[in-house]
Structure formats: C-alpha cells, structure tokens
Amino acid sequence: MNKLILRLYIVEKGEYINVRLDKRLSFADNFILLGQLYDYDFSNRQVVDPKIKKALLNDVPLCSFNFPAFMTLFIY
C-alpha cells in the first residue's frame, strides 16, 4: 500500500489536519493534490519534523523518510 497517514500542524492557522498522502510522491506533489481538497495554499511551504528540529526536503519521495503512521509534522 502506498498511502501514509500523517498529522499536519499548520502553524499559521493553528490547526491540525489528518491527511493520507502517497508515499511515492514528494511533499510538493502531495501538497498540490491536497490544495485541491483543503482551502489552504500549500505552495512554498516548509515541512518541519519537530523531533529532529529540522526542515525536510520538499522534492524527495515520502518513502525515503521512513515515517511511522500518524506522525505529526509542522507546516510553516
């Protein structure tokens, strides 16, 4: 299965959303699709992993990050 469930915290809005993303696609590609469903502009946003306190690359497929399900990431 190529789906990954993540919890995204949108810092600007101060709200959490639970999303199902395609592991074969990058954050940038998934955010294009997500922007069609959710009323928020995900373009030019940075994804941060709060555990390691680093920004993640937006153009790398999600399967290379090896995220566990329901992990929380911050969107800036």
Side-chain angles (χ1 to χ4, degrees):
M1 192 156 126
N2 294 316
K3 301 297 179 188
L4 175 65
I5 299 172
L6 293 175
R7 187 172 194 200
L8 301 177
Y9 178 66
I10 302 172
V11 176
E12 182 180 4
K13 293 179 100 176
E15 66 182 55
Y16 288 92
I17 58 171
N18 295 320
V19 295
R20 187 169 58 186
L21 302 177
D22 191 333
K23 287 195 249 184
R24 299 170 293 183
L25 301 176
S26 65
F27 279 116
D29 295 334
N30 275 300
F31 286 167
I32 290 170
L33 299 173
L34 186 59
Q36 296 172 358
L37 301 173
Y38 188 74
D39 187 30
Y40 184 70
D41 181 22
F42 286 98
S43 61
N44 299 322
R45 300 293 174 183
Q46 192 61 50
V47 180
V48 175
D49 184 346
K51 289 186 179 184
I52 62 172
K53 298 178 181 167
K54 290 193 178 189
L56 304 174
L57 296 174
N58 285 341
D59 58 350
V60 176
L62 297 182
C63 61
S64 64
F65 291 113
N66 209 13
F67 290 133
F70 294 105
M71 180 174 177
T72 301
L73 298 172
F74 289 13
I75 306 294
Y76 287 95

